[in-house]
Amino acid sequence: MQQSQFKNRILIHKDAMYRLALRMLRNENDAQDMVQDSLMKLWNKRKVLVGIKSHKSFALTIVHNASIDLIRKRKPETNQQDHLERTDGLNPEKQLDISDQLTRAKQIINGLNEQQRELIQLRDIEGLEYEEIAEITDLTINTIRVNISRARKEIRRRMKLAMDFERIKKV
Amino acid sequence: MKNIEIKILLGKYFEGETSLQEEKTLQYYFLCEDVTADLLEYKYLFAAFRDESYIAAEPIDQHDVFKGEKTNNLSLVRNTSWAIAATVALLIGSWFFFQQHVDEQKRPSHQELMIAQKYLHQSLVSFNKAYNESNKLLRKTMMIEQNKMEVARMGEVYNNNTQEILKLEYFNKSLERLNGLSNLKKSRIKLIM
């Protein structure tokens, strides 16, 4: 694969790669570095890329694997962050201070666990088919469906909880 | 689209049973239509999904990507190590090269070498003697210092003893005075008697 082909087929997905890394790592600098490193890996595998159907899925798989490795390396810190963000999502008292509904919805998405965050990102934000998500995450389609369903219901539950508390506050 | 249809679609959506097309229909509905209060939370949710899909990465350094190398600390250390090793190897190689190619005429003859060796031997012997002499001097200096310290200590003892003697002399004089006084008393008593 030539540089021009790489730009047209791989580099155009850099934003999707960044969004997935950002969703998984929840750190802009780490996500940016991840994209850069993943693109280097992809360029080094350019001979393999020629025979691949979906370049986007392949690029996102690289990001997924590298992000998982990084998360495992910094696990204790991330667990703490997970806990904090989940608390943000669930704590109604704190939510009463957040006027922007959109910001709160984003916070709730970020408050999901690692796998749910990733699946919501790939399906609801990137709009990928279940088959593509299965290829990226190495999960079965059924597992993906179940986990996406759980994630969406969890988002709904937290949003309802937050809105109910706002209604109570207004009353 | 009717409210009831949307609710059915939402039910499927939350069970993970909707297709991408159906999900796009939901997204379009919640972003473009006026929704009832009971569905308001979904409007924010789909708006959040849309907003998040607009996030973009910073410009990528394509030069680094196509170079296929990452300039990190590890590679820097490796490169530096290799550079140092190469320099040392080059220096050693150059030294051997120049050693082997020194002009034969510039090399000293056997006789000159013998003379040099003789002078070297004499120098070493002189050095050895000087070293021994300096050692002796050092020892003597150390002994003098020790003696000085001993003299100082003895001086202190002498001073202390002198003070003690003076005290004793004063004591003796006091005793003599007392004796004198007692004799005077005795003579007075005799005179009275």
Side-chain angles (χ1 to χ4, degrees):
Chain A
M1 185 181 275
Q2 300 298 314
Q3 279 192 16
S4 57
Q5 290 174 318
F6 188 85
K7 283 177 188 174
N8 292 333
R9 295 176 190 176
I10 302 290
L11 270 180
I12 54 163
H13 301 303
K14 71 176 174 63
D15 291 336
M17 291 166 74
Y18 175 74
R19 286 191 293 268
L20 178 61
L22 185 62
R23 183 69 61 205
M24 291 181 78
L25 303 172
R26 294 189 291 194
N27 181 297
E28 287 177 8
N29 292 331
D30 286 351
Q32 193 67 37
D33 289 347
M34 184 63 68
V35 172
Q36 186 85 24
D37 288 358
S38 300
L39 286 170
M40 283 180 196
K41 284 179 192 170
L42 286 162
W43 175 244
N44 290 333
K45 291 181 180 180
R46 57 189 177 277
K47 287 176 186 172
V48 182
L49 289 174
V50 178
I52 285 170
K53 281 186 199 170
S54 170
H55 291 115
K56 186 177 182 181
S57 295
F58 191 75
L60 292 177
T61 306
I62 298 281
V63 173
H64 163 86
N65 292 337
S67 298
I68 293 283
D69 287 346
L70 187 61
I71 289 165
R72 280 178 190 159
K73 278 180 193 169
R74 64 177 199 195
K75 202 69 187 175
E77 190 187 339
T78 313
N79 281 343
Q80 195 178 7
Q81 200 180 356
D82 272 350
H83 172 73
L84 289 173
E85 294 209 8
R86 278 178 206 158
T87 308
D88 281 352
L90 286 168
N91 187 353
E93 292 298 324
K94 187 152 190 174
Q95 283 168 0
L96 290 175
D97 297 331
I98 303 166
S99 57
D100 190 350
Q101 307 281 354
L102 212 57
T103 307
R104 188 176 54 198
K106 290 174 188 177
Q107 279 185 337
I108 288 170
I109 297 165
N110 271 333
L112 296 171
N113 70 38
E114 193 183 301
Q115 193 181 58
Q116 288 177 339
R117 277 203 315 273
E118 187 185 13
L119 294 177
I120 288 291
Q121 177 70 32
L122 293 172
R123 180 68 184 186
D124 287 323
I125 298 170
E126 298 304 334
L128 297 183
E129 291 288 356
Y130 285 117
E131 288 78 6
E132 289 176 298
I133 299 171
E135 192 183 319
I136 293 163
T137 57
D138 207 23
L139 296 170
T140 62
I141 289 174
N142 193 43
T143 307
I144 292 164
R145 278 183 191 277
V146 170
N147 283 323
I148 282 183
S149 171
R150 281 181 191 160
R152 286 170 177 169
K153 284 175 182 172
E154 182 62 19
I155 293 170
R156 182 174 62 182
R157 188 184 71 79
R158 292 184 188 188
M159 287 192 77
K160 275 190 175 173
L161 191 70
M163 290 191 89
D164 287 345
F165 267 88
E166 273 200 5
R167 283 190 200 109
I168 293 164
K169 189 188 171 188
K170 282 177 187 172
V171 173
Chain B
M1 195 174 236
K2 287 178 183 177
N3 213 5
I4 187 75
E5 288 171 332
I6 287 297
K7 282 184 179 175
I8 291 167
L9 213 51
L10 271 175
K12 279 178 73 183
Y13 172 77
F14 282 104
E15 292 303 323
E17 291 169 1
T18 40
S19 65
L20 273 181
Q21 190 55 46
E22 287 170 328
E23 285 167 24
K24 278 178 186 168
T25 306
L26 279 173
Q27 194 167 28
Y28 178 82
Y29 175 79
F30 283 109
L31 293 178
C32 302
E33 304 281 333
D34 290 327
V35 298
T36 53
D38 59 325
L39 296 175
L40 200 58
E41 67 212 51
Y42 303 120
K43 190 177 181 74
Y44 300 127
L45 178 63
F46 282 100
F49 287 158
R50 182 204 52 195
D51 275 16
E52 294 291 288
S53 70
Y54 290 155
I55 293 173
E58 286 174 23
I60 298 296
D61 188 348
Q62 291 188 14
H63 179 73
D64 268 6
V65 171
F66 294 128
K67 197 170 61 178
E69 290 169 4
K70 189 185 174 187
T71 313
N72 57 17
N73 291 336
L74 192 62
S75 63
L76 187 68
V77 168
R78 279 179 189 155
N79 289 340
T80 312
S81 306
W82 276 110
I84 291 166
T87 309
V88 169
L90 186 67
L91 285 171
I92 292 168
S94 304
W95 186 78
F96 275 112
F97 176 80
F98 283 115
Q99 282 295 310
Q100 285 174 355
H101 291 81
V102 169
D103 189 2
E104 288 294 328
Q105 288 180 351
K106 286 181 183 174
R107 286 190 176 176
S109 64
H110 179 70
Q111 197 178 356
E112 285 171 335
L113 280 172
M114 291 300 288
I115 293 164
Q117 192 181 11
K118 188 182 167 186
Y119 278 111
L120 181 66
H121 180 72
Q122 284 176 357
S123 304
L124 284 171
V125 169
S126 303
F127 175 78
N128 203 18
K129 279 181 185 174
Y131 177 76
N132 288 336
E133 287 299 319
S134 62
N135 253 351
K136 281 178 190 173
L137 277 170
L138 188 66
R139 279 180 204 153
K140 280 179 185 174
T141 311
M142 284 170 74
M143 281 174 72
I144 288 166
E145 286 296 318
Q146 280 177 353
N147 290 338
K148 274 184 183 176
M149 285 168 71
E150 192 63 26
V151 168
R153 195 181 64 79
M154 285 171 73
E156 278 182 20
V157 172
Y158 174 78
N159 287 336
N160 290 338
N161 290 341
T162 310
Q163 283 178 2
E164 289 298 318
I165 289 163
L166 288 170
K167 282 177 188 173
L168 281 170
E169 280 179 358
Y170 179 75
F171 181 71
N172 283 335
K173 281 178 186 175
S174 303
L175 274 176
E176 280 173 9
R177 278 180 193 170
L178 282 169
N179 285 333
L181 282 170
S182 60
N183 290 336
L184 188 64
K185 278 181 183 177
K186 281 177 187 174
S187 60
R188 277 182 184 175
I189 291 164
K190 280 179 185 174
L191 282 170
I192 293 164
M193 296 279 293

